[in-house]
């Protein structure tokens, strides 16, 4: 089966504030872009780590929250119609005759002339509980996300955590699992009250069980979990048999596949020049928190500036014969047409 | 000025000086104390600045607020003496504070 290749001028890896603004700067120069992010929504750190917190150093916005900044960037880039691909992680980059080919973990192939890495602190990945030997069980008995519910049909499932992911999967998997136990360290949940209520109802009707405690040790062999030892709130322990464990402890940023793309790296950052923000590979740019250069500041402001200069260089690659004329959005009717305001 | 001692899982101790007003997490990061990742920079949204407050100091540091208690759900091996160090403000009363760093911050 062959999947249709998505062809575009530029692929932007990361839909954080800097990746989003790159759509704008590229768009003004007629460079069409697709954006890919492993998260399920735009905003990167701003949306994932601090949506409600105020930011005070965005020029001309005395105060704006992480979520507001994201929403306003989405509005600002809307005229360019860039397609955003969520829940997909870019795994590989290959050079082709006239550009690059990228592939995501979902198998979506892209072909483009320019790559813009705006991967911030790396891809957001589920936290792995530091339990000895857990890696032996991963993807056979321990899962950090649910791709196919059917994989849990007629199995004994243990869900660990008290947030929305833990609660949502408790509700979704209960009908398919043979048995389902929710384990959490306390009886309060930081999740949507409606989900908590539904979960409690399932406990009351005997369809699932809820236990208080934290996983201390895993038991099993050959990648097959047979049970876990749980430390209860009073310090005593008990055994919980299970075939499957789904721990939900939030996300953390891990450099991830960026490390495998053959780029020069300095302490997990990508060195770039400060004229074009190009990496050691021609045609691959790196902007925002992921790059480094003398004097680099990990600020949104700096990432925006980097996006503007990168776009000039990207334009030269995509339109080698076109001379770029410097224009202001205020006065250029050409730019205003692109922005849909004329 | 308040002196704060961080105790590593292997027992080694680092004592650092902290200004009142900063957080215990900031005191650790500023002095490159191992084991405090503080990925979110103190926004109470990552739980990678988890510490165990020694018993004698639990009263002085107080109990976590609701937001911190919620975030502790994302920490590993949470105990009654668990706190997120970015949520403990240094005051002169905390001079001598001793906190233990967990085996792993996830
Ligand atoms: C608590 C906190 C407060 C902050 N306050 C401020 C402030 O006041 N002012 C300021 O200027 N800055 C602030 N920052 C920093 C600011 O958030 C970052 O500089 C900014 O988010 C960087 O943007 P970015 O687009 O480069 O990367 P990020 O926001 O990190 O986004 C990168 C995105 O790329 C994705 N990604 C990475 N690799 C892949 C891959 N292989 N495939 C698919 N997707 C991938 C990630 O999932 C992520 O969504 C703060 C940061 C934190 C944590
Ligand atoms: S530094 Fe992230 S919660 Fe404390």
């Amino acid at each position: 089966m062959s999947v249709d290749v998505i062809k575009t001028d530029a692929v932007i890896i990361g839909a954080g504030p800097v990746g989003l603004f790159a759509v704008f700067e590229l768009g003004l120069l007629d460079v069409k872009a697709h954006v890919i992010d492993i998260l399920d929504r735009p905003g990167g750190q701003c949306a994932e780590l601090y949506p409600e917190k105020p930011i005070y150093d965005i020029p001309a916005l005395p105060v704006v929250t992480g979520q507001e900044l994201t929403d306003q960037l989405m509005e600002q880039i809307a005229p360019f119609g860039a397609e955003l691909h969520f829940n997909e992680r870019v795994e590989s980059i290959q050079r082709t005759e006239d550009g690059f080919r990228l592939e995501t973990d979902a198998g979506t192939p892209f072909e483009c002339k320019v790559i813009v890495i705006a991967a911030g602190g790396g891809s957001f990945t589920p936290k792995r509980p530091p339990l000895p030997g857990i890696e032996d069980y991963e993807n056979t008995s321990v899962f950090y996300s649910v791709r196919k519910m059917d994989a849990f049909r007629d199995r004994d499932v243990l869900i660990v955590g008290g947030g929305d992911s833990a609660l949502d999967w408790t509700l979704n998997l209960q009908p398919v699992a043979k048995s389902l136990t929710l384990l959490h360290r306390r009886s309060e949940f930081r999740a949507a009250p409606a989900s908590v209520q539904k979960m409690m109802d399932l406990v009351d009707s005997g369809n699932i069980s809820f236990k208080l405690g934290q996983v201390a040790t895993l038991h099993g062999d050959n990648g097959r979990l047979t049970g876990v030892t749980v430390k209860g709130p009073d310090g005593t322990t008990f055994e919980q048999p299970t075939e499957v464990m789904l721990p939900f402890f939030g996300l953390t940023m891990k450099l991830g596949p960026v490390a495998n793309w053959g780029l020069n790296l300095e302490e997990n950052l990508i060195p770039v020049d400060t004229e074009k923000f190009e990496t050691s590979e021609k045609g691959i740019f790196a902007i925002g928190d992921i790059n480094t250069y003398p004097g680099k500041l990990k600020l949104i402001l700096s990432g925006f500036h980097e996006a503007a200069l990168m776009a000039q260089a990207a334009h030269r690659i995509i339109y080698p014969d076109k001379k770029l004329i410097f224009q202001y959005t205020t006065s250029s009717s050409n730019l205003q047409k692109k922005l849909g305001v004329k | 000025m308040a002196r704060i001692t961080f105790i590593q899982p292997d027992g080694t101790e680092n004592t650092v000086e902290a200004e009142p007003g900063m957080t215990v997490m900031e005191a650790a990061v500023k002095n490159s104390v191992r084991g405090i990742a503080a990925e979110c920079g103190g926004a109470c949204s990552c739980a990678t600045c988890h510490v165990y407050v020694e018993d004698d100091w639990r009263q002085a540091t107080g109990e976590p607020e609701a937001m911190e208690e919620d975030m502790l759900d994302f920490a590993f091996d949470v105990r009654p003496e668990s706190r997120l160090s970015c949520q403990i403000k240094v005051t002169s009363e905390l001079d001598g504070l001793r906190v233990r760093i967990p085996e792993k911050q996830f």
Side-chain angles (χ1 to χ4, degrees), chain B residues 70-91:
Chain B
D70 280 352
M71 207 55 223
L72 277 167
D73 285 350
F74 286 174
F76 186 72
D77 195 5
V78 179
R79 305 178 194 164
E81 66 272 26
S82 286
R83 289 292 310 266
L84 294 176
S85 57
C86 69
Q87 302 302 307
I88 310 176
K89 271 255 183 319
V90 175
T91 59

Side-chain angles (χ1 to χ4, degrees), chain A residues 163-221:
Chain A
D164 280 306
S165 305
L167 270 287
D168 289 351
W169 286 115
T170 298
L171 301 179
N172 289 330
L173 290 177
Q174 180 272 323
V176 296
K178 181 159 97 196
S179 76
L180 193 143
T181 305
L182 176 65
L183 178 71
H184 183 40
R185 71 174 184 96
R186 57 187 182 129
S187 45
E188 285 88 52
F189 299 85
R190 49 172 255 151
S195 317
V196 177
Q197 189 54 52
K198 279 192 205 143
M199 182 275 295
M200 305 272 211
D201 293 345
L202 286 172
V203 173
D204 288 342
S205 59
N207 285 301
I208 63 169
S209 49
F210 171 65
K211 293 188 178 167
L212 277 174
Q214 300 175 75
V215 177
T217 337
L218 306 174
H219 306 290
D221 50 19

